[in-house]
């Protein structure tokens, strides 16, 4: 018998991170519940809060990013994802239009810091340790910094929306959501 | 083709639509149960023709070239809220190129204002959001404008959040035509155009607007909000959670006048 079994299909490497987000999208990701068992048949998690791997492997297939860009570290992480992931997905309202953090954009960053770190009777002490990432003057959506391939709206997108989106993508279809799954809140 | 005087119909996406003399394309379409996306159109008001969401293509032609190829000559694009229906007219609405144009218009509106749905009281019943859902708008496409706009909370019952204004003038028209109060107007031109209130201070609280006025209840987006009524309907049970905006087009049709 020369019959050869096809080589096992390589699992797609998926990296995820949260930038200026609240981790709500990641929590919603976990709302796919037991379907995560079907998912890990198809994908392997690389850098992600789920694995605690600190940096992306150079050959990631899909990068999923929650949150917008509000500080210098966010910019570095976003560039790392773009460099190492073939497909980049902006997940959730903050990644797509800056979301609630971007509501600070109409205010002066100095005024915000002064208001937050003012201590009655003790002046203003704005933390300036070099390890603390510098804030940007405005919060930006991801596509204003790097090329984004797909957008998954929602605050957060529901577990069902994330499942539909990812299964479409993994099956080679253009992800579509339709009524009930497409939400901006 | 129906050109007879007593059988007035036109064709919308190849479907025959009856109309009455004087009706616009959108009025006839909605009355016949066909949805055409719109924002500044309202069945109770004169057409405004500013949002262009209801743009349709009229009387495209197919011609045969000398080498025998069929070429489509696109018809004229027109706002269906201001264009009178005419017998025998062929109107294209739900076709990819028109839907693409509408999607682009919605994206431009979304980036021009500060439309943060998660914190908006109108979310779930906002026409702009409902249209964006229906058109499948997944991303803003354009850079966010991050316009700096104020909030006016001076009125005891009504809050104004200018961040979400799409300049449809429905409140302007309602206040002038129905309430006879002229509380609202648009001021400025181009990207400085904005909604203003008719009082010496410029504040809504110094106008004679009442929460029961038509103008206070006609905003299609989240600009004119009633205080103490935010988030009354839970997530999942709001208007566009239950049904898409294109559901039951007759709800947007002009009400028949009683003879």
């Amino acid at each position: 018998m020369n019959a050869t079994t096809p080589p096992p299909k390589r699992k797609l490497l998926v990296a995820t991170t949260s930038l200026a987000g609240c981790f709500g999208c990641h929590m919603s990701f976990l709302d796919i519940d037991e379907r995560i068992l079907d998912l890990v048949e198809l994908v392997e998690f690389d850098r992600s809060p789920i694995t605690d791997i600190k940096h992306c492997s150079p050959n990631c297939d899909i990068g999923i990013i929650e949150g917008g860009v509000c500080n210098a570290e966010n910019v570095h992480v976003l560039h790392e994802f773009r460099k190492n992931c073939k497909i980049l997905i902006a997940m959730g309202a903050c990644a797509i239009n800056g979301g609630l953090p971007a509501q600070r954009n109409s205010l002066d960053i100095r005024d915000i810091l002064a208001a937050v770190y003012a201590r009655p009777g003790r002046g203003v002490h704005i933390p300036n340790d070099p390890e603390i990432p510098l804030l940007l003057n405005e919060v930006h959506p991801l596509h204003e910094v790097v090329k984004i391939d797909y957008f998954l709206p929602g605050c957060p997108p529901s577990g069902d929306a994330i499942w539909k989106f990812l299964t479409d993508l993994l099956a080679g279809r253009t992800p579509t959501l339709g009524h009930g799954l497409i939400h901006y809140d | 083709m129906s050109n007879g005087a007593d059988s007035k119909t036109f064709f919308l996406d190849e479907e025959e639509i009856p109309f009455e003399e004087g009706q616009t394309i959108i009025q006839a379409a909605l009355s016949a149960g066909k949805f055409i996306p719109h924002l500044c159109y309202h069945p109770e008001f004169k057409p405004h023709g500013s949002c262009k969401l209801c743009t349709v293509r009229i009387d495209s032609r197919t011609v045969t070239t000398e080498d025998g190829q069929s070429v489509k000559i696109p018809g004229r694009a027109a706002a269906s809220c201001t264009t009178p229906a005419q017998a025998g007219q062929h109107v294209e609405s739900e076709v990819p190129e028109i839907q693409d144009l509408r999607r682009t218009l919605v994206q431009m509106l979304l980036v021009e204002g500060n439309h943060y749905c998660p914190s908006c009281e109108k979310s779930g019943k906002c026409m702009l959001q409902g249209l964006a859902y229906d058109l499948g708008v997944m991303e803003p496409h354009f850079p966010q404008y991050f316009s700096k706009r104020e909030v006016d909370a001076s009125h005891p019952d009504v809050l104004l959040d200018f961040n979400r204004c799409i300049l449809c003038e429905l409140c302007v028209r309602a206040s002038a035509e129905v309430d006879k109060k002229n509380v609202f107007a648009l001021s400025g031109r181009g990207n400085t155009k904005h909604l203003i209130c008719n009082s010496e201070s410029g504040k809504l609280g110094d106008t004679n607007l009442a929460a029961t006025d038509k103008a206070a209840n006609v905003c299609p987006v989240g600009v004119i909000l009633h205080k103490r009524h935010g988030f009354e309907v839970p997530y999942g049970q709001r208007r566009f959670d239950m049904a898409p905006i294109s559901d039951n087009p007759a709800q947007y049709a002009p009400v028949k006048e009683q003879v």
Side-chain angles (χ1 to χ4, degrees):
Chain A
M1 291 286 282
N2 288 332
T4 52
T5 49
K9 209 172 168 188
R10 183 178 75 86
K11 285 186 179 181
L12 295 177
L13 212 48
V14 175
T16 79
T17 192
S18 177
L19 304 180
C22 69
F23 268 93
C25 294
H26 274 79
M27 297 305 291
S28 197
F29 195 178
L30 296 179
D31 282 341
I32 66 172
D33 297 330
E34 74 279 6
R35 285 171 291 188
I36 201 165
L37 298 174
D38 297 326
L39 187 64
V40 293
E41 292 295 318
L42 302 169
V43 308
E44 184 185 331
F45 283 98
D46 192 70
R47 172 179 178 161
S48 168
I50 298 171
T51 59
D52 210 23
I53 296 172
K54 303 298 184 197
H55 288 284
C56 290
S57 302
N59 55 344
C60 288
D61 296 287
I62 298 172
I64 302 174
I65 301 181
E66 166 194 342
V69 178
C70 82
N71 64 30
E73 192 220 2
N74 293 159
V75 178
H76 285 290
V77 174
L78 183 55
H79 280 295
E80 179 181 315
F81 269 71
R82 181 68 279 180
K83 192 176 167 214
N84 295 296
C85 303
K86 294 190 188 87
I87 291 172
L88 220 50
I89 301 170
M91 173 165 69
C94 304
I96 289 173
N97 73 356
L100 301 191
Q103 294 198 343
R104 77 160 161 88
N105 287 2
S106 61
L107 305 169
D108 189 286
I109 188 69
R110 282 170 301 191
D111 296 343
I112 298 172
L113 287 168
V116 169
Y117 291 103
R119 291 176 190 175
R122 292 166 57 195
V124 177
H125 297 280
I126 297 168
N128 63 350
D129 190 287
E131 285 205 2
I132 298 173
L134 278 176
L135 289 179
L136 306 181
N137 64 336
E138 281 188 345
V139 179
H140 290 275
L142 303 183
H143 71 278
E144 291 183 14
V145 182
V146 298
K147 163 93 166 70
I148 296 294
D149 301 292
Y150 293 99
F151 298 80
L152 170 51
C155 184
S158 65
D160 288 340
I162 295 172
W163 178 251
K164 171 73 165 60
F165 191 94
L166 287 181
T167 47
D168 274 358
L169 192 64
L170 293 172
R173 297 185 291 264
T174 300
T176 51
L177 293 178
H179 176 73
L181 291 182
I182 184 166
H183 264 286
Y184 300 153
D185 61 359
Chain B
M1 198 172 280
S2 312
N3 282 326
D6 49 359
S7 62
K8 287 194 182 300
T9 62
F10 68 98
F11 294 87
L12 177 63
D13 293 331
E14 304 305 322
E15 197 175 311
E16 201 164 0
I17 305 286
F19 71 95
E20 289 163 22
E21 195 61 46
Q23 270 193 321
T24 59
I25 292 172
I26 200 171
Q27 286 174 335
L30 294 169
S31 298
K34 297 286 286 181
F35 183 70
I36 296 179
H38 57 268
L39 282 172
C40 72
Y41 159 83
H42 189 288
E44 294 168 45
F45 295 100
K46 277 185 211 142
H48 195 242
S50 64
C51 78
K52 304 297 177 197
L53 257 299
C54 72
T55 297
V56 292
R57 192 152 272 168
I58 300 169
D59 289 337
S60 297
R61 291 177 301 139
T62 305
V63 295
T64 308
T65 57
E66 283 176 5
D67 53 357
Q69 285 190 333
S70 289
V71 177
K72 186 178 171 183
I73 311 278
R76 70 189 172 96
S80 63
C81 70
T82 54
T83 309
Q86 288 182 19
Q89 205 170 37
H90 282 259
V91 178
E92 294 164 277
S93 174
E94 223 166 286
V95 293
E97 59 263 44
I98 296 290
Q99 294 287 71
D100 282 348
L101 286 174
R102 291 174 178 151
R103 206 170 287 121
T104 304
L105 285 175
V106 166
Q107 287 170 325
M108 289 167 79
L109 286 171
L110 286 173
V111 299
E112 188 202 350
N114 295 310
H115 297 278
Y116 299 108
C117 299
S119 61
C120 179
E121 296 176 20
K122 200 65 180 251
S123 189
K125 53 181 179 177
C126 164
M127 294 288 282
L128 179 62
Q129 185 192 55
L131 270 184
Y133 288 169
D134 217 49
L135 292 165
V137 175
M138 301 278 273
E139 93 285 345
H141 183 81
F142 301 103
Q144 207 72 31
Y145 195 68
F146 293 128
S147 44
K148 295 182 180 14
R149 300 192 199 163
E150 299 292 318
V151 172
D152 180 347
S154 58
H155 192 282
D157 301 316
V158 178
L159 171 77
L160 289 183
D161 190 336
F162 296 109
N163 285 290
R164 304 162 185 150
C165 187
I166 56 169
L167 309 175
C168 68
E169 286 199 50
L170 272 172
C171 59
V172 178
R173 287 180 274 165
S175 192
E177 294 170 24
V178 181
D179 307 330
K180 312 286 183 198
K181 289 185 179 178
N182 287 315
V183 168
F184 297 108
L186 291 188
S187 177
R189 295 190 69 79
N191 69 352
T192 64
K193 198 170 186 178
H194 61 289
L195 187 65
I196 53 168
C197 301
N198 184 12
S199 67
E200 208 158 302
S201 63
K203 293 288 180 194
L204 186 67
D206 294 330
T207 68
N208 57 348
L209 180 96
T212 49
D213 286 353
K214 187 74 182 172
N217 294 282
V218 78
C219 183
V221 293
V223 179
I224 305 175
L225 300 164
H226 291 251
K227 291 183 177 178
R228 299 173 294 279
H229 290 280
F231 307 106
E232 275 179 337
V233 182
Y235 186 99
Q237 294 172 30
R238 301 163 305 176
R239 184 175 165 194
F240 298 134
D241 294 334
M242 309 303 284
I245 194 169
S246 53
D247 199 56
N248 184 22
Q251 66 182 305
Y252 312 107
V255 180
K256 292 245 175 179
E257 282 174 32
Q258 300 294 317
V259 181

